[in-house]
Amino acid sequence: MKAVVQKYGGSSVASAEKILNVARQIEKKIKKGYKLIIVVSAMGKTTDGLIKLAKEITSNPNPRELDMLLTTGEQISVSLLSMAIQSFGYKSKSLNAFQAGIKTTENFNEAKIKSFNKKRILTLLKSNDVLVVTGFQGITDEGELTTLGRGGSDTSAVALAAALGFNCEIYSDVAGIYTIDPRLHPGAKKIKNISYDEMLEMASLGAKVLHSRSVEIAKKFGITIYCGSTFSDEEGSYVMAGSKIIEQPSVTGCSIMENQAQVFIKNIPVDYNLIKKLFEKVALEGLNVDMISIINTGNNLEVSFTIVEEKKKHLEAALKKVFRGLGKWQIVYHTGFVKLSVVGIGMRSGIGVAASFFKAMKKIPIKLVTTSEIAISCLIENQYKPEAVKAIAREFKL
Ligand code: ADP
Ligand code: ASP
Ligand code: MG
């Protein structure tokens, strides 16, 4: 059986007309003799709208109830797309997480996929041309609905492809993976082939073109992800093993992570066990922190790190539990930052990347810098973003 998993994102299914357009793309592949499993996100900005609605009810929605709400978005798009495919004369069936047996862990809002009901999916695929499966959602062993975190439909698609041994194609409103988000830098170049490690770093540092966990899964199972445009036939990009890519520039791309806050926790007694507890709690709560620094003033410890602004309340609630009973500790936020990162496997062997980075950024007041084996990141004020992106693009020919 020739079969493929394709994923269409929210902007690709934002209206009835766009859903019919996606059905036409699917028809082309059916005519080439393929069976298809289609993973879709909610229509347009549906998920944003649902979150906004929940926040109008309460500033801190219960995670289980939030997932109950958010999973409705994908159920709308799968049914409509399946109807569209049927209206073209093909056999199609839509499936939600329950029906496809998408089992996940129990952490609401950030669940991880454990397994699919492969037998049921393959049996249904035999008697249909297309199965249209909800992205982003799953069920626990107890039958609770979960979601995989924002942008998680990419992960649903790659995990399905890995489980079934099919190829995976991800379609969105851009024609592939670019050196920089083409919305921020319209002159960005398309990257034909990008390694898992670079894409993982780009995605976790803010390039939302792919959900970072989808890249992790692709790497683990050796799946090549094709990323292309829903709206054109232009050749897209491939995410694949680095060893298959012959040319490696020292810097492949630049990612921007928006809405960053720098958090300072001051007046902590000099007791490193408290620091251990702090970061254990942060991890337990699934809070993603970065750019950590610890200063010992002699009398106290001061910890600082970055976090996405919208997690401030969540963080504060977690910290209160860790520092309960410690009178003096204090939390201060500085907001309005972005994290800009350059990424490239070539950094492992190339030298002088840091020198070029600081040369490009010489007019920009950098607050903090961190590095990994294949990335350099800096925290800058929002207002410097356009200038910094331009300077980095020029320096590294992105
Ligand atoms: P979908 O709804 O189809 O999942 P997303 O909005 O999640 O699509 O992801 C596509 C968007 O990712 C593009 O519109 C683009 O603005 C953004 N993006 C960020 N970084 C990059 C990059 N390096 N290359 C391509 N697109 C990027
Ligand atoms: N609809 C979900 C979101 O907006 C999942 C996705 O788009 O991948 O985050
Ligand atoms: Mg997405």
Side-chain angles (χ1 to χ4, degrees):
M1 180 171 59
K2 249 172 50 171
V4 62
V5 174
Q6 292 189 335
K7 179 251 166 177
Y8 293 89
S11 51
S12 306
V13 293
S15 63
E17 194 190 326
K18 286 187 170 159
I19 289 176
L20 287 162
N21 170 56
V22 166
R24 261 176 234 118
Q25 302 294 332
I26 292 168
E27 179 175 40
K28 283 188 203 161
K29 205 84 182 182
I30 299 175
K31 285 190 169 159
K32 286 184 185 157
Y34 282 89
K35 296 248 183 189
L36 292 102
I37 296 186
I38 306 295
V39 173
V40 266
S41 306
M43 293 172 71
K45 303 241 174 277
T46 301
T47 310
D48 290 333
L50 292 171
I51 292 173
K52 187 165 168 275
L53 200 57
K55 295 248 160 110
E56 282 171 27
I57 302 282
T58 161
S59 64
N60 193 15
N62 173 283
R64 177 194 182 272
E65 302 308 331
L66 191 62
D67 277 353
M68 202 60 184
L69 178 71
L70 297 190
T71 47
T72 61
E74 271 68 14
Q75 199 158 323
I76 295 173
S77 49
V78 287
S79 50
L80 291 173
L81 180 57
S82 192
M83 285 176 208
I85 298 163
Q86 288 169 1
S87 76
F88 290 179
Y90 299 101
K91 287 189 79 179
S92 168
K93 198 175 208 109
S94 62
L95 300 173
N96 64 15
F98 176 74
Q99 294 162 321
I102 308 175
K103 286 284 176 67
T104 70
T105 57
E106 270 134 43
N107 18 356
F108 295 112
N109 312 161
E110 284 291 340
K112 295 210 162 81
I113 296 177
K114 295 196 297 190
S115 63
F116 299 91
N117 188 339
K118 277 201 294 194
K119 198 165 158 232
R120 177 165 159 80
I121 294 171
L122 289 173
T123 307
L124 286 172
L125 193 60
K126 261 192 201 136
S127 53
N128 284 279
D129 301 305
V130 183
L131 295 180
V132 188
V133 181
T134 47
F136 181 52
Q137 60 177 251
I139 50 161
T140 67
D141 289 338
E142 278 72 46
E144 295 278 25
L145 283 164
T146 54
T147 63
L148 310 180
R150 295 306 307 273
S153 321
D154 300 330
T155 297
S156 311
V158 175
L160 250 175
L164 301 171
F166 297 166
N167 284 341
C168 188
E169 302 171 355
I170 295 203
Y171 293 95
S172 71
D173 57 350
V174 282
I177 294 151
Y178 288 78
T179 49
I180 307 179
D181 184 345
R183 283 179 210 281
L184 288 178
H185 188 67
K189 296 176 193 157
K190 198 191 299 170
I191 307 171
K192 206 169 156 216
N193 299 309
I194 184 167
S195 67
Y196 296 127
D197 290 341
E198 286 168 312
M199 191 61 234
L200 200 54
E201 203 84 357
M202 293 258 299
S204 32
L205 291 168
K208 72 164 185 167
V209 63
L210 281 178
H211 194 231
S212 59
R213 286 220 313 278
S214 71
V215 188
E216 259 168 44
I217 295 172
K219 180 180 175 183
K220 188 164 162 194
F221 292 91
I223 295 203
T224 297
I225 310 176
Y226 172 75
C227 293
S229 163
T230 309
F231 306 107
S232 84
D233 290 330
E234 196 181 321
E235 176 77 356
S237 308
Y238 294 86
V239 184
M240 54 165 70
S243 55
K244 291 190 189 153
I245 305 170
I246 298 161
E247 255 189 299
Q248 297 284 13
S250 58
V251 168
T252 303
C254 167
S255 285
I256 305 284
M257 184 100 90
E258 311 268 356
N259 304 319
Q260 297 293 295
Q262 196 179 7
V263 184
F264 295 87
I265 308 161
K266 302 186 178 199
N267 300 328
I268 306 173
V270 184
D271 174 0
Y272 286 91
N273 199 36
L274 284 169
I275 307 293
K276 169 187 152 252
K277 283 190 186 159
L278 189 168
F279 286 106
E280 269 173 3
K281 184 69 182 164
V282 159
L284 195 69
E285 296 285 327
L287 291 162
N288 208 342
V289 303
D290 196 15
M291 301 189 133
I292 300 168
S293 87
I294 301 176
I295 298 169
N296 186 338
T297 64
N299 299 322
N300 289 304
L301 295 178
E302 180 176 316
V303 177
S304 91
F305 49 79
T306 55
I307 189 164
V308 63
E309 280 176 17
E310 67 169 30
K311 295 287 182 187
K312 270 167 33 185
K313 274 196 185 140
H314 188 169
L315 174 75
E316 212 158 321
L319 290 184
K320 276 186 183 148
K321 287 180 196 152
V322 175
F323 295 128
R324 202 180 353 223
L326 291 178
K328 282 194 308 168
W329 75 280
Q330 189 196 3
I331 182 163
V332 178
Y333 299 102
H334 292 180
T335 55
F337 296 112
V338 298
K339 184 164 70 187
L340 177 148
S341 310
V342 294
V343 174
I345 273 194
M347 274 186 218
R348 282 181 185 150
S349 50
I351 44 169
V353 177
S356 305
F357 180 82
F358 288 111
K359 181 179 143 217
M361 299 288 280
K362 65 180 182 286
K363 291 198 181 131
I364 293 161
I366 296 175
K367 292 272 170 195
L368 273 175
V369 178
T370 49
T371 58
S372 78
E373 200 190 0
I374 63 163
I376 304 176
S377 303
C378 69
L379 193 70
I380 58 174
E381 279 172 39
N382 231 333
Q383 54 169 320
Y384 296 109
K385 182 174 77 177
E387 194 185 335
V389 166
K390 232 189 238 166
I392 290 290
R394 200 180 314 121
E395 180 65 34
F396 294 106
K397 302 187 173 55
L398 303 178

